[in-house]
Amino acid sequence: MGRFFICLCLQRILLPISLVLGCVLRQNGLSFIYLLLLLYNPIVPVATVTTITGHAGRYLKAVIFFTVVNAVAQFAFQIVLLSYPPYGSIVSPNCGQMERWFRYGGLVRLDMIDPLDAVRILAPEVVMLAVSILVLVVCRALNHRRSDDDQLLPVISSPTSDAEQITQRRKYSMLTILGKYIVLASLCLAGILRPSVLSGVYFLVFLGTMTSWALNRDLAKGFAVLCRLLLLPVTAHIITIYLYQMQWFQELLPRNAPIARYLGLTALQTTNCHDPRSGHISDEEWASFVSPLALVWLYFMLWYESNMLINAPLIRGRESVYRKHSSRARSLFQDSLGSVTIADVAEENIKLE
């Protein structure tokens, strides 16, 4: 359990935070890869003895691979600039067609650049390479497969009892109920931070779900399907906001355009052609900066809760473990919210005639 918890924290907390950092520091083609890896993260199972050699292991290796590719691309581009003296002549002038294409891809010249901008441009690869290697090495070490005897021995010597299974199911049920509250709160937050058409969808879903729950309707498989359907607009919303931070999108769709206002698109960073490498933070209200992070949080919560609801174990009937040392039988009842109640039921006295 301790090993699983460590892998869970590394894969579900540390790695996503690093990917978010790579997307926040800069918005270009190289960081767009980090955004795609971030959106794929909740789909990947937590690393275990089985998954570390399968889906989870391939994902962690893919993160390392794309990070190395980005770093090599940055290094190779600087070599190309040095090969055509004077340095940076092939990407001159600023905001020229050639300079724009390279900058949108994430490749810029580094001469006479502000130190903070240099850190902002180069830090994502350094952070991602260190974190991704750390996560893969630790998860692989914790889930190292030894011999077949070592794997079979715990299963034979310590079988899971009925009481332990019931306890695990009750914990799973409690986490599922807690997840419903978190998802609903996340929907409300994403709906009110930045009013727009898509935010209105989140808020209407929040109101409809709360109304249905208040009428004592079960939020089970149907709610899981709704969460999966909401992933489509949330994903499109996140990608659109990310792309809107680039100069070409802001010129194509100005911030005062009706479509931009209806979709809630805000330029959190603007480009100055005097030095397009320098990111100028706009003076928008704080809610505009928090809204993209709230959408990412909502995306992760929708995935986690829908998976838990779809894979939720059912507790049915009577469990014999509660009848071994008692003259009264105990039955398990599960209400629409997923709560489990243990009730004492008097055993029937059968008279023989």
Side-chain angles (χ1 to χ4, degrees):
M1 186 63 181
R3 297 179 180 180
F4 179 82
F5 182 75
I6 294 176
C7 293
L8 178 68
C9 293
L10 291 175
Q11 193 173 332
R12 296 293 192 234
I13 299 178
L14 180 61
L15 186 58
I17 289 177
S18 303
L19 291 169
V20 169
L21 182 64
C23 298
V24 170
L25 289 179
R26 67 187 188 199
Q27 292 78 42
N28 51 43
L30 297 182
S31 290
F32 186 73
I33 297 176
Y34 297 145
L35 178 62
L36 296 180
L37 293 172
L38 174 67
L39 297 178
Y40 193 74
N41 182 275
I43 305 176
V44 181
V46 178
T48 60
V49 176
T50 304
T51 60
I52 193 61
T53 58
H55 196 178
R58 290 192 296 268
Y59 170 76
L60 296 177
K61 292 177 182 178
V63 174
I64 296 176
F65 172 77
F66 285 113
T67 303
V68 172
V69 169
N70 288 354
V72 171
Q74 293 268 22
F75 183 74
F77 183 70
Q78 301 307 316
I79 295 178
V80 172
L81 293 180
L82 290 171
S83 302
Y84 293 90
Y87 175 84
S89 59
I90 62 175
V91 291
S92 297
N94 291 336
C95 288
Q97 183 176 5
M98 187 67 67
E99 190 273 339
R100 282 175 178 251
W101 282 111
F102 280 113
R103 175 159 47 87
Y104 295 154
L107 305 175
V108 297
R109 53 189 296 180
L110 298 177
D111 60 325
M112 296 181 295
I113 189 174
D114 185 84
L116 292 179
D117 288 326
V119 172
R120 180 179 61 85
I121 293 173
L122 301 177
E125 276 67 46
V126 177
V127 174
M128 281 304 308
L129 189 60
V131 171
S132 57
I133 293 177
L134 173 66
V135 174
L136 178 61
V137 171
V138 173
C139 290
R140 179 177 291 178
L142 293 176
N143 297 284
H144 179 66
R145 186 185 295 273
R146 298 177 181 176
S147 62
D148 294 338
D149 295 337
D150 294 336
Q151 297 297 323
L152 294 176
L153 182 58
V155 178
I156 298 175
S157 60
S158 57
T160 304
S161 63
D162 293 339
E164 292 176 349
Q165 291 181 0
I166 296 174
T167 302
Q168 293 176 0
R169 291 177 180 179
R170 293 186 64 182
K171 291 180 179 179
Y172 193 96
S173 179
M174 293 177 62
L175 289 176
T176 304
I177 297 172
L178 179 62
K180 295 176 183 178
Y181 288 102
I182 295 177
V183 168
L184 292 174
S186 302
L187 282 171
C188 180
L189 181 65
I192 64 178
L193 277 176
R194 185 65 181 172
S196 64
V197 174
L198 292 177
S199 298
V201 173
Y202 310 145
F203 193 70
L204 289 177
V205 171
F206 164 75
L207 293 179
T209 306
M210 290 298 296
T211 302
S212 177
W213 206 1
L215 296 176
N216 200 27
R217 295 181 180 177
D218 188 17
L219 300 182
K221 301 293 183 179
F223 185 64
V225 174
L226 179 61
C227 291
R228 289 294 175 89
L229 293 177
L230 278 175
L231 286 170
L232 296 177
V234 173
T235 303
H237 200 175
I238 294 173
I239 294 177
T240 304
I241 291 178
Y242 181 86
L243 295 178
Y244 193 71
Q245 308 312 310
M246 299 184 186
Q247 183 182 5
W248 66 271
F249 206 162
Q250 296 177 11
E251 293 177 350
L252 179 65
L253 196 64
R255 56 183 300 180
N256 294 327
I259 297 179
R261 291 188 288 108
Y262 296 154
L263 296 179
L265 300 179
T266 305
L268 305 178
Q269 177 179 284
T270 58
T271 302
N272 186 353
C273 286
H274 176 70
D275 188 1
R277 301 168 300 179
S278 179
H280 299 275
I281 306 300
S282 61
D283 56 350
E284 297 289 339
E285 57 184 4
W286 65 270
S288 299
F289 293 91
V290 177
S291 180
L293 299 178
L295 290 174
V296 174
W297 170 264
L298 175 62
Y299 176 86
F300 272 71
M301 293 302 104
L302 289 174
W303 263 113
Y304 295 153
E305 181 62 17
S306 60
N307 285 336
M308 294 185 69
L309 288 173
I310 292 174
N311 301 320
L314 296 178
I315 304 178
R316 300 174 180 174
R318 299 180 179 181
E319 299 294 338
S320 59
V321 67
Y322 291 107
R323 304 179 62 182
K324 291 182 179 180
H325 305 289
S326 176
S327 60
R328 300 176 65 85
R330 292 183 177 181
S331 297
L332 298 179
F333 300 93
Q334 188 174 19
D335 59 13
S336 61
L337 299 181
S339 301
V340 178
T341 304
I342 302 176
D344 290 333
V345 180
E347 294 183 349
E348 297 179 356
N349 295 324
I350 302 177
K351 296 182 179 181
L352 299 177
E353 296 181 355

